[in-house]
Amino acid sequence: MAKERIRIVLCGDNGVGKSSLIACLVKDQFIPNLQDTLPSVTIPRDFSDSPYSPQNTILIDTTNSDLVLLKKELKNADVIWLVYSDHESYERIALYWMMMFRSLGVNLPVILCKNKCDTTSRAIPETANADEDRDTTVEDDEFIPILKAFKEVETCIKCSAKNKLNVNQAFYLCQRAITHPLAPLFDARIGELKPLAISTLKRVFLLCDKDQDGYLNNDEIYALQKKCFGKTMDINELKFLHKTLEDLAASNPKYSGCPLYVEGKGITKLGFLVLNKWYAENGRHETTWGILRAYHYTDSLSISDKVLYPKVDIADTASVELSPMGYRFLVDLFLAYDKDNDGVLNEQELQMLFKTTQGAPKLWSETCFPYSTVVNSQGFITLQGWLAQWSMTTLIDYKTTTEYLVYLGFEKDARLALHVTRPRRQRRRNGVYYRAAVTDRKVFNCYVLGNAHSGKSSLLESFLGRQFSEAYSPSIRPKIAVNSLELKGGKQYYLILQELGEQEPAILENKSKLKEYDVLCLTYDSSDPESFSYLVELIHKYQHLQTLPVVFVALKADLDKQQQRCYIQPDDFTEQLMLEHPLHTSCVWPSSLNELFIKLTEVALEPAKNTPNLTPEVVEDRSKDYWQAALVTGSLVGFVSIFAFTLSKIIRSVRSTPST
């Protein structure tokens, strides 16, 4: 996820060696007597050994003599390389430079560089080690106050362009401030990981903890290393991690009673956080970013929208379903969190499953999950219901599916979990347009329409295998039910039944909205003489419904059938529309219900069978032509046979007559 280009602006008092640092970096040697200000230099990726470096890095040299240009460059910068070389220029870091950056509103990472360390005056050292100790003390005295006073300063380093000391390292630190910023991860003022970084790393831990035992064992650490850095980890590196955590636990009393690493089990969640904190404190936060980048996190510690919502080309009237890979992932996920192996996810298991997300999808709460699909007697979702719910989600809003697949740990491109169907085709027969048969769809959407009290809600409940209830509750909000069906030949399909509630008129008036459904289920109460007239008025009011596949259903067929108080009876009306008579079914007749649901699915597969006013396709009877052809052929063969026989008889007669 390297950036294409970053701009590094070098600032500092005149004479501190900014131009010399740039020249040393580019030429790999010290060049004396340079001009005051160098033109901008573009360094390609190949120059740097860092695998995280951007495509191009532009170095901008500046001078104090042109403040207008300096301020312009600062506002266009990505990172500031601030240089000083002596006590006077050091004093101006806090008093002038940092104050100027803040006055300009420039909130950029600053890399503080002490240059000309080859000329720093020192007392005569007794030993080389004493010399190094003095250098360290001087650096601490200078760097620590700046780091504490200004959060913009990410790190400090001493350099020498003359001796080529740490020049490349300083350049890398500038790059790293952009590619692997410390600020989102670590609060240097209090020495702790930031809350958002902690929650992000906890999510990564949960995804890596495949067996969900609360520890990252050796195999899980190896898998994490391979995923994030593309290489394996040897046993010595792993032992170093364990030893580091043991030392951190031993040296910090606040970790007493909270193990960071348990022998034989692995690294705990707290240990994982402490390890990443240690990386940040020791300037190794690119390791943490390597982990976060592998899980698609951006600099703001949010997952990239391009990953959550990848672009999917969907033609008009096409639909989106789960692919076999998507179903396989969801099955494995269900089985992994079904800890008691009872075939359902209870509330605790479901909560754990969604712990790496923001909770169950909003669409699910809007559809009264889990009661929108198949649950057991305790209200816990079954595997059948789990897959049906995701099938519905993908058809209605595939972006929710791709988002949650990423959050739940689908490690490939989320588009591989989707299947985009072919667009519906329109055909014409005798001037009537109808939808052609479909062959590549497995999920179908059905709107259930009908008058109040006709039994729509009970039909949806029965579809999910629930007991019939006499209690009546008017449907104000839309209701939805989704379940799987198996048709002849063992093919499995998913059917979504939607009751529209008070939104019914608005949806029926919206012709584009009706493109989303595959079949209409028009219901009436066969025991209520006032019920069927509602459907007749509906068909006449919304004429465009006559161009769509429909199935008429007479519900409550277990009760006494009533003559409908309508100018036309149901059988006559369906005949007038050139449709089959209404199916008579009841929520207390399971076999009739199954017949209805299969019928709805079959109509969705072959809409022509139930499109109003569509005359049946004429299949020409060619048997008569066959027999006529056979008769002609037989006669011809007979005639030829007779002719041949007669001709041969004449020839024999001529040959037997003596010549004169």
Side-chain angles (χ1 to χ4, degrees):
M1 296 181 63
K3 295 179 180 294
E4 291 187 3
R5 185 186 68 178
I6 64 173
R7 295 172 64 88
I8 301 174
V9 174
L10 281 83
C11 295
D13 292 350
N14 293 335
V16 294
K18 302 186 296 295
S19 302
S20 296
L21 287 171
I22 295 175
C24 181
L25 182 67
V26 175
K27 299 295 185 180
D28 195 28
Q29 62 181 357
F30 176 66
I31 301 176
N33 304 320
L34 288 169
Q35 62 193 74
D36 290 341
T37 306
L38 296 178
S40 61
V41 177
T42 299
I43 300 178
R45 172 183 287 179
D46 293 343
F47 183 89
S48 174
D49 293 333
S50 171
Y52 306 108
S53 60
Q55 295 286 349
N56 292 295
T57 302
I58 303 175
L59 289 170
I60 310 294
D61 195 6
T62 62
T63 177
N64 293 351
S65 59
D66 191 345
L67 287 178
V68 174
L69 181 60
L70 171 61
K71 292 178 180 180
K72 179 182 177 182
E73 294 293 356
L74 285 171
K75 290 182 178 180
N76 292 326
D78 295 303
V79 60
I80 298 171
W81 187 348
L82 184 57
V83 184
Y84 75 95
S85 62
D86 53 24
H87 180 72
E88 183 180 350
S89 57
Y90 169 76
E91 291 293 329
R92 282 172 52 81
I93 296 296
L95 297 176
Y96 175 75
W97 288 104
M98 298 306 301
M99 294 299 103
M100 184 181 72
F101 299 155
R102 290 184 174 182
S103 67
L104 291 174
V106 175
N107 186 21
L108 299 174
V110 176
I111 305 302
L112 183 61
C113 172
K114 180 180 182 180
N115 194 23
K116 300 185 180 180
C117 288
D118 56 292
T119 61
T120 303
S121 59
R122 305 174 184 156
I124 299 174
E126 296 179 3
T127 65
N129 289 335
D131 187 33
E132 290 176 3
D133 291 341
R134 178 172 176 79
D135 274 353
T136 303
T137 303
V138 171
E139 290 165 22
D140 290 345
D141 290 344
E142 294 180 355
F143 292 161
I144 291 176
I146 297 293
L147 287 170
K148 287 184 176 180
F150 302 99
K151 63 180 180 60
E152 305 95 313
V153 179
E154 290 220 348
T155 189
C156 305
I157 187 171
K158 67 173 185 176
C159 296
S160 170
K162 187 174 183 179
N163 291 347
K164 298 192 294 185
L165 173 66
N166 290 341
V167 177
N168 285 355
Q169 287 83 343
F171 172 70
Y172 166 68
L173 290 174
C174 290
Q175 287 186 322
R176 192 180 67 167
I178 300 302
T179 58
H180 302 93
L182 181 61
L185 303 178
F186 190 70
D187 191 333
R189 289 174 296 180
I190 61 174
E192 295 291 343
L193 292 173
K194 291 187 175 180
L196 185 56
I198 291 174
S199 62
T200 300
L201 289 168
K202 282 182 177 179
R203 175 181 173 270
V204 171
F205 180 91
L206 291 173
L207 292 175
C208 295
D209 183 17
K210 299 297 184 183
D211 56 9
Q212 300 165 51
D213 63 348
Y215 301 90
L216 293 186
N217 59 40
N218 291 358
D219 290 338
E220 289 165 344
I221 288 291
Y222 291 147
L224 177 63
Q225 174 80 5
K226 186 69 175 177
K227 174 181 173 64
C228 299
F229 304 104
K231 59 183 180 180
T232 57
M233 176 184 287
D234 61 39
I235 190 65
N236 292 326
E237 292 175 307
L238 190 60
K239 287 180 178 179
F240 174 77
L241 287 183
H242 296 164
K243 181 67 166 56
T244 300
L245 287 172
E246 290 172 350
D247 293 344
L248 289 170
S251 62
N252 198 326
K254 72 178 181 179
Y255 299 137
S256 60
C258 303
L260 307 182
Y261 167 72
V262 177
E263 186 69 35
K265 291 186 176 180
I267 300 173
T268 65
K269 186 188 295 184
L270 177 61
F272 185 66
L273 295 175
V274 169
L275 189 62
N276 281 281
K277 175 189 171 185
W278 181 78
Y279 287 145
E281 289 173 328
N282 289 272
R284 293 184 53 188
H285 50 281
E286 67 268 21
T287 303
T288 301
W289 274 116
I291 296 171
L292 297 178
R293 299 295 193 211
Y295 285 89
H296 312 294
Y297 280 98
T298 63
D299 291 351
S300 61
L301 294 184
S302 62
I303 298 179
S304 169
D305 283 352
K306 291 183 179 179
V307 176
L308 293 175
Y309 315 110
K311 184 178 179 181
V312 180
D313 294 326
I314 307 171
D316 188 33
T317 72
S319 64
V320 184
E321 301 176 0
L322 285 166
S323 69
M325 186 182 294
Y327 279 116
R328 182 72 262 169
F329 174 78
L330 292 170
V331 169
D332 292 342
L333 195 67
F334 183 97
L335 298 177
Y337 283 89
D338 181 17
K339 292 300 185 181
D340 49 11
N341 296 317
D342 60 351
V344 297
L345 294 179
N346 58 42
E347 291 180 1
Q348 184 178 1
E349 290 168 340
L350 200 61
Q351 186 178 4
M352 282 300 298
L353 188 151
F354 281 116
K355 204 163 185 179
T356 59
T357 73
Q358 311 96 317
K362 183 180 178 182
L363 175 63
W364 290 21
S365 60
E366 292 173 350
T367 56
C368 299
F369 173 83
Y371 299 104
S372 56
T373 189
V374 184
V375 296
N376 69 355
S377 58
Q378 298 173 289
F380 300 150
I381 189 169
T382 65
L383 177 59
Q384 178 183 352
W386 172 255
L387 297 179
Q389 184 75 13
W390 279 111
S391 299
M392 176 201 70
T393 303
T394 307
L395 184 72
I396 295 176
D397 182 13
Y398 74 90
K399 290 185 178 181
T400 296
T401 298
T402 59
E403 176 189 5
Y404 272 79
L405 285 173
V406 174
Y407 282 134
L408 292 169
F410 188 76
E411 296 187 349
K412 299 181 179 179
D413 186 336
R415 287 174 290 192
L416 296 176
L418 304 180
H419 164 65
V420 181
T421 67
R422 290 190 291 270
R424 279 200 203 98
R425 293 187 177 180
Q426 289 281 344
R427 299 193 183 280
R428 184 178 179 181
R429 184 192 302 166
N430 298 331
V432 177
Y433 287 95
Y434 64 96
R435 293 175 178 177
V438 297
T439 58
D440 66 334
R441 297 193 183 202
K442 299 292 183 184
V443 187
F444 298 109
N445 202 357
C446 173
Y447 287 168
V448 181
L449 309 177
N451 198 11
H453 297 275
S454 63
K456 301 186 296 296
S457 297
S458 296
L459 181 65
L460 267 65
E461 292 291 314
S462 300
F463 182 47
L464 301 176
R466 293 172 194 153
Q467 294 294 324
F468 172 72
S469 173
E470 293 284 353
Y472 173 74
S473 176
S475 298
I476 299 173
R477 295 180 58 190
K479 292 182 179 179
I480 198 164
V482 57
N483 201 352
S484 59
L485 290 167
E486 189 173 299
L487 270 59
K488 293 179 181 178
K491 290 186 177 181
Q492 189 178 60
Y493 296 90
Y494 290 94
L495 181 63
I496 304 168
L497 300 182
Q498 292 194 60
E499 184 184 356
L500 305 179
E502 292 184 346
Q503 293 183 11
E504 182 176 295
I507 291 176
L508 295 182
E509 288 173 1
N510 188 345
K511 294 183 180 180
S512 61
K513 189 71 176 176
L514 290 174
K515 291 181 180 179
E516 298 176 4
Y517 91 98
D518 299 282
V519 57
L520 281 179
C521 179
L522 303 182
T523 65
Y524 70 98
D525 179 359
S526 60
S527 67
D528 179 4
E530 307 292 342
S531 187
F532 186 73
S533 59
Y534 177 84
L535 296 183
V536 175
E537 293 172 4
L538 202 69
I539 292 293
H540 289 159
K541 181 177 181 181
Y542 304 105
Q543 291 288 325
H544 53 274
L545 296 183
Q546 298 187 37
T547 64
L548 305 171
V550 298
V551 174
F552 282 85
V553 183
L555 294 176
K556 304 183 184 181
D558 58 308
L559 304 178
D560 291 339
K561 182 180 178 181
Q562 299 291 325
Q563 186 82 0
Q564 294 295 311
R565 295 195 185 104
C566 183
Y567 77 91
I568 190 169
Q569 294 303 300
D571 287 356
D572 297 331
F573 187 66
T574 52
E575 286 179 6
Q576 189 180 88
L577 294 175
M578 299 182 184
L579 297 174
E580 298 174 357
H581 291 172
L583 282 173
H584 288 262
T585 187
S586 168
C587 292
V588 297
W589 293 350
S591 60
S592 68
L593 286 170
N594 190 55
E595 179 186 357
L596 168 61
F597 301 139
I598 289 176
K599 177 66 175 179
L600 292 171
T601 307
E602 289 175 341
V603 170
L605 285 165
E606 297 187 65
K609 291 184 177 181
N610 276 68
T611 299
N613 306 314
L614 185 63
T615 56
E617 189 174 9
V618 178
V619 180
E620 295 183 10
D621 185 2
R622 298 187 179 275
S623 58
K624 183 177 180 181
D625 293 342
Y626 171 78
W627 288 113
Q628 287 178 346
L631 181 62
V632 172
T633 303
S635 301
L636 183 61
V637 171
F639 174 77
V640 171
S641 299
I642 294 171
F643 176 77
F645 176 75
T646 304
L647 182 61
S648 62
K649 188 175 181 181
I650 293 172
I651 292 172
R652 285 198 302 271
S653 175
V654 170
R655 287 178 177 175
S656 62
T657 303
S659 58
T660 57

